[in-house]
Amino acid sequence: MLETLRHIVQEVNAAEGLGDALRIIVRRVRDAMGTEVCSVYLREPATGRYVFRATEGLNQDLVDQAGLADGEGLVGLVAVRGEPVNLENAERHPDFCLLPGIGEEQYHAFLGVPIIHQRDVLGVLVVQQSQQRRFDENDEAFLITMSAQLAGVIAHAQVAGAVQEEALAGAGAPAKISGVAGAPGIAIGTAVVVSPIADMYAVPQRKAENRRQEVRAFREALQCVAVDIQTVADNLGAELSPEDHALFDVYLGILDDSTIGAEVVGLIKAGQWAQGALSQVMIKHIRHFERMEHSYLKERAVDVKDLGTRVLAYLQEADKQELMYPDQTILIGEELTASSLGEIPREKLVGLISVRGSGNSHVAILARAMGVPTVMGAVDLPYTMLQDRELVIDGYNGAVHLNPLPQVKRRFQEVVDQDRALTRDLESLRDEPCETLDGHRMPLWANTGLMADVTRSLEQGAEGVGLYRTEVPFLLRDRFPSEEEQRQIYRNQLEAFAPKPVTMRTLDIGGDKSLPYFPIEEDNPFLGWRGIRVTLDHPEIFLAQVRAMLKANEGLGNLRIMLPMICNVSELDEALDLIHRSHREIQQEGVKGELPPIGVMVEVPAAVYQARALARRVDFMSVGSNDLTQYLLAVDRNNARVADLYHSLHPAVLQALCDVVEAGAAEGIPISICGELAGDPEGAVLLLAMGYDVLSMNATSLPKVKKALRNINLSEARELLREVMEMEQAGAIHQRMEQFLTEHGMEKFIHNPVD
Ligand code: PEP
Ligand code: MG
């Protein structure tokens, strides 16, 4: 059964569009189950009707014509119940409803299972048989497994199909694809798809601007690959027999002008750009070989893929130099990274969409710092088809809108205008203190990483840096920066803010931050080799970094050093020893300066429970609520599928936040917070009430938080905290916080979805 399932899913995954996928499903399921009929009904979102979309065994002429209203017939019953319906004799069931002309009169046995994707019923998969019998348990289990596996593929193909149809028809129906809110704001712009290097399955579809030039580029890329392969063959020289040499010729022949090469050129001449034409033709041939039963021929798929990948790499290299970004670029990628953001001129970038990742992935945090509206985890987005398309992205609610209706677009434009007005309004607060109505001062610091954050943070009136993510400059290089290079980078940060304090966190790689030149591949990266664990295992990296920080601090004295991912006291003791050692060493080398304040991040539950023991050893502590939330709730911050469960206002998280402040107070050290919660007005109000000494956040959030805290009294925030700590559910707490903001004239900070 497993093998059959795997084959079907593989074939469906390789289908060309939804129609093809559904035809494969009904044919293969009918064969695998040995039934007479298999059909798929899919829900039409606009009407709620279940449309007869594919069949083996019933009347093909009614495909896409016939259908059942919501709740109508046995198909409707399966959908409403969200459970299988297994009947010996379908027509005896009170809900049975015969679709005229469909030809199911002679079939008695009926088994229907719902197709459910992310809690939504997409449709119903049905098998039928003329013999009066109940399908047995195995049949039921098989069909349920099949439907669960196919649901994601169907959801994806549905959206992709809609986009393709639209593209063919010129204009199309509006479509809204849900993802996860990444960075707040609305962006209206033109899509630019960034493709991963040499991945044929992620090549954006685009028209050729100059067909002749594209053909030339393709032929040149072919030539380069031919030379590469010839070089390999020559190098192996004597080790190869004449037969082996002949294999190389066959290999090269695959792409020659009379075969696959000619097909690619044909497509380019018909208007496709070279990369698109190449990938389309190669994928078709790969699928063809993969479907073959004979293992030798099946293996040829690997050769075709390898050749295609090589040619694509050359084409991408050539196109890279020519890439032009439109004025309002929305960058889309399978998995955007910090370096992909660095390649586009900032003034042209208005929005970001990442198919993978979630709201607390590091790329989303960077986007928030840059103030670029972002949607993450848009897993159903057929992104390779969106090149040059006009899109609207809603970074408040995590949605992408294709072909929005004029009134929807107008509504979004209004939100953009309101946001601009709010930003202007907030600018006037720049030099005002962050002080509550009853006179409590709350220092607001900034989180930095990119050099651009420095200017931005100063412009927004940051009173210090609560978290400088030192891994960001490491991520943007192709090797570890030397001690001297680091010293200069750190010096720039310290000088820009002096005499304001700058908290530099030692390298926090691992998790979703992997350096291209130091890859860490693990099954559970967030529970693996990460943060302080890596640097304690590589003291040479840690020492060089600390030495660079201490040297950069000479004559300024505004450095603070902070240690990430501390889980136990011995990690902290070890790290402190290394810092003291570095300090002694550089003093012996003649560098002047006191040992700076040293702090730990509290970002794993163990550190919450041991907060007092940790506090006794350091000068300050800072809560990393992004990781603390992920580890307390066991929700991967990078996984869009569980994003709904990632609640920073979860009662357990709030309790942990209170406990850390209490521990800090008991040991007499200041406690700050540098997770994203500090930059959320709802979070900031509660953190103020808990007694946090400093809130550190991305520069973009700073004015909003200042506005929120200047609008309230500490006493009422404390009252609210008491109320909220009695609540048992994150949703209720969030609602109460929205109500509180509204009551205090801050309804502009609340953004509901536009449909
Ligand atoms: C955190 O975990 O809250 C934090 C500030 O660190 P990072 O987001 O870089 O992991
Ligand atoms: Mg962290």
Side-chain angles (χ1 to χ4, degrees):
M1 169 166 159
L2 207 56
E3 193 57 9
T4 317
L5 272 169
R6 207 169 53 81
H7 271 123
I8 302 180
V9 173
Q10 232 173 24
E11 230 183 282
V12 173
N13 264 322
E16 287 163 21
L18 182 60
D20 191 28
L22 298 179
R23 278 188 293 277
I24 296 171
I25 293 172
V26 290
R27 181 166 38 83
R28 298 287 265 125
V29 170
R30 187 180 78 154
D31 293 350
M33 293 182 69
T35 62
E36 287 154 87
V37 175
C38 178
S39 317
V40 177
Y41 297 77
L42 288 190
R43 187 165 194 273
E44 202 173 52
T47 58
R49 203 169 151 254
Y50 286 85
V51 180
F52 180 59
R53 292 296 305 268
T55 190
E56 277 289 327
L58 298 184
N59 185 356
Q60 295 284 353
D61 292 344
L62 290 190
V63 164
D64 290 339
Q65 312 295 322
L68 292 149
D70 197 8
E72 192 185 11
L74 293 174
V75 165
L77 181 68
V78 175
V80 168
R81 287 180 32 180
E83 282 182 320
V85 170
N86 187 353
L87 302 170
E88 197 174 326
N89 201 334
E91 66 272 23
R92 290 216 196 111
H93 192 281
D95 282 357
F96 177 75
C97 160
L98 182 74
L99 282 172
I102 205 165
E104 61 182 339
E105 292 82 350
Q106 74 260 40
Y107 302 111
H108 302 292
F110 172 102
L111 170 61
V113 300
I115 304 168
I116 302 181
H117 177 63
Q118 293 177 345
R119 302 187 183 200
D120 268 350
V121 179
L122 301 181
V124 176
L125 183 59
V126 177
V127 288
Q128 290 170 286
Q129 220 168 352
S130 46
Q131 188 193 7
Q132 282 200 22
R133 64 136 178 151
R134 250 178 88 84
F135 284 96
D136 69 20
E137 267 178 29
N138 283 336
D139 294 326
E140 208 172 304
F142 178 83
L143 206 60
I144 291 173
T145 317
M146 195 78 251
S147 146
Q149 287 227 29
L150 292 173
V153 185
I154 292 177
H156 188 82
Q158 255 180 336
V159 184
V163 175
Q164 210 157 30
E165 279 158 27
E166 270 163 37
L168 293 174
K176 177 178 168 186
I177 293 101
S178 297
V180 179
I186 303 295
I188 304 175
T190 311
V192 172
V193 179
V194 278
S195 20
I197 297 168
D199 179 351
M200 272 186 298
Y201 295 86
V203 170
Q205 291 187 13
R206 198 188 280 181
K207 290 206 178 71
E209 273 169 28
N210 181 335
R211 296 177 198 192
R212 217 180 278 168
Q213 204 170 308
E214 292 290 304
V215 171
R216 200 176 323 123
F218 172 62
R219 294 228 161 95
E220 278 169 14
L222 273 190
Q223 196 50 41
C224 294
V225 172
V227 170
D228 287 351
I229 292 175
Q230 198 53 56
T231 313
V232 175
D234 292 348
N235 287 347
L236 290 172
E239 290 167 44
L240 295 182
S241 66
E243 293 81 46
D244 291 337
H245 266 295
L247 271 180
F248 274 93
D249 295 338
V250 172
Y251 203 57
L252 282 173
I254 294 179
L255 284 172
D256 84 14
D257 256 6
S258 58
T259 54
I260 293 182
E263 268 183 74
V264 177
V265 171
L267 273 187
I268 299 175
K269 288 186 175 159
Q272 273 269 11
W273 70 319
Q275 289 190 32
L278 173 79
S279 64
Q280 210 169 310
V281 171
M282 296 312 257
I283 289 171
K284 190 181 89 188
H285 285 277
I286 293 166
R287 278 183 190 147
H288 176 70
F289 282 118
E290 276 173 351
R291 280 183 196 170
M292 290 191 170
E293 295 294 335
H294 195 292
S295 67
Y296 173 80
L297 291 175
K298 229 180 178 145
E299 293 278 302
R300 300 287 63 76
V302 179
D303 295 342
V304 176
K305 198 168 179 176
D306 177 57
L307 276 172
T309 308
R310 286 166 182 265
V311 180
L312 180 62
Y314 275 110
L315 283 174
Q316 285 179 329
E317 195 50 45
D319 284 334
K320 211 168 160 185
Q321 287 118 30
E322 291 171 17
L323 192 60
M324 301 273 284
Y325 293 100
D327 283 344
Q328 307 277 310
T329 296
I330 294 182
L331 210 59
I332 310 182
E334 165 106 31
E335 189 153 32
L336 290 178
T337 58
S339 45
S340 53
L341 301 193
E343 281 170 18
I344 164 166
R346 176 65 189 90
E347 68 281 4
K348 297 204 166 186
L349 180 66
V350 296
L352 293 171
I353 306 173
S354 182
V355 173
R356 297 229 222 129
S358 192
N360 279 290
S361 303
H362 282 88
V363 71
I365 292 177
L366 278 182
R368 284 200 280 273
M370 292 163 73
V372 181
T374 299
V375 173
M376 302 289 294
V379 285
D380 291 328
L381 192 73
Y383 71 101
T384 56
M385 293 180 190
L386 298 180
Q387 178 67 32
D388 299 329
R389 297 285 296 270
E390 203 200 27
L391 306 175
V392 176
I393 67 175
D394 177 352
Y396 292 115
N397 298 292
V400 179
H401 295 256
L402 308 177
N403 294 317
L405 294 169
Q407 64 270 30
V408 171
K409 203 169 146 191
R410 259 199 310 278
R411 178 74 198 97
F412 277 120
Q413 189 56 53
E414 278 164 27
V415 181
V416 172
D417 297 340
Q418 280 163 9
D419 281 355
R420 279 206 195 111
L422 182 64
T423 309
R424 272 196 303 276
D425 178 31
L426 294 177
E427 267 163 19
S428 60
L429 292 179
R430 185 194 176 285
D431 296 317
E432 301 296 328
C434 178
E435 192 172 301
T436 59
L437 294 172
D438 48 0
H440 181 84
R441 272 286 275 122
M442 171 59 93
L444 301 187
W445 294 10
N447 294 347
T448 60
L450 298 167
M451 211 44 218
D453 294 337
V454 173
T455 337
R456 230 182 141 73
S457 308
L458 289 168
E459 274 168 14
Q460 309 285 25
E463 297 166 71
V465 174
L467 167 64
Y468 169 51
R469 289 186 167 95
T470 58
E471 55 279 1
V472 176
F474 279 67
L475 283 166
L476 300 177
R477 282 186 164 62
D478 53 13
R479 57 170 176 80
F480 281 111
S482 67
E483 185 179 313
E484 176 52 21
E485 280 172 319
Q486 290 187 60
R487 189 194 65 77
Q488 283 171 19
I489 299 169
Y490 304 153
R491 181 79 187 178
N492 287 343
Q493 282 275 327
L494 293 168
E495 266 176 354
F497 285 93
K500 298 183 180 104
V502 174
T503 313
M504 295 198 175
R505 177 173 73 184
T506 61
L507 196 63
D508 183 18
I509 50 171
D512 67 340
K513 290 177 290 191
S514 167
L515 301 176
Y517 47 89
F518 190 67
I520 301 172
E521 275 168 28
E522 297 178 322
D523 286 344
N524 273 315
F526 281 115
L527 298 184
W529 206 43
R530 211 204 135 176
I532 199 78
R533 300 171 186 180
V534 177
T535 47
L536 286 181
D537 286 349
H538 276 281
E540 77 287 9
I541 298 175
F542 188 78
L543 287 167
Q545 186 174 38
V546 173
R547 284 168 55 89
M549 288 177 182
L550 295 173
K551 285 182 179 174
N553 193 33
E554 191 177 22
L556 293 172
N558 57 336
L559 169 71
R560 297 163 23 117
I561 296 180
M562 184 159 76
L563 303 163
M565 282 292 292
I566 294 286
C567 294
N568 57 53
V569 164
S570 49
E571 281 172 344
L572 175 56
D573 287 342
E574 250 184 276
L576 288 173
D577 276 351
L578 290 173
I579 296 175
H580 292 148
R581 191 175 117 191
S582 304
H583 186 241
R584 275 195 309 274
E585 277 172 14
I586 63 150
Q587 279 193 316
Q588 280 158 11
E589 290 165 27
V591 180
K592 296 195 180 56
E594 308 249 302
L595 187 70
I598 302 170
V600 279
M601 290 198 69
V602 177
E603 49 185 349
V604 297
V608 175
Y609 288 108
Q610 280 212 293
R612 287 194 63 169
L614 298 175
R616 278 195 287 277
R617 291 166 162 78
V618 290
D619 305 300
F620 66 93
M621 294 203 295
S622 183
V623 177
S625 54
N626 306 336
D627 278 315
L628 188 56
T629 305
Q630 117 162 311
Y631 293 124
L632 269 176
L633 305 184
V635 175
D636 180 345
R637 63 193 270 187
N638 207 25
N639 183 344
R641 202 178 283 170
V642 288
D644 284 355
L645 298 172
Y646 187 99
H647 285 295
S648 295
L649 296 179
H650 188 292
V653 177
L654 297 183
Q655 189 56 58
L657 292 169
C658 289
D659 293 352
V660 179
V661 178
E662 214 174 280
E667 296 299 333
I669 62 164
I671 305 290
S672 54
I673 174 162
C674 56
E676 294 296 296
L677 185 63
D680 169 7
E682 294 178 21
V685 169
L686 293 177
L687 294 164
L688 163 88
M690 287 176 193
Y692 276 82
D693 298 295
V694 174
L695 305 183
S696 187
M697 64 203 69
N698 67 69
T700 314
S701 302
L702 207 140
K704 268 190 201 171
V705 169
K706 192 186 275 188
K707 172 97 177 168
L709 300 190
R710 282 172 59 88
N711 263 6
I712 62 168
N713 284 298
L714 172 62
S715 56
E716 48 187 348
R718 285 191 175 141
E719 185 52 44
L720 178 69
L721 178 66
R722 265 192 292 279
E723 190 189 323
V724 155
M725 292 307 285
E726 296 291 315
M727 295 182 168
E728 292 175 344
Q729 299 208 36
I733 297 175
H734 174 57
Q735 260 178 15
R736 177 67 186 101
M737 294 309 298
E738 283 196 343
Q739 186 194 3
F740 180 84
L741 292 184
T742 310
E743 283 162 7
H744 289 76
M746 290 177 278
E747 58 284 349
K748 282 189 192 139
F749 294 166
I750 300 165
H751 293 271
N752 295 317
V754 174
D755 281 313

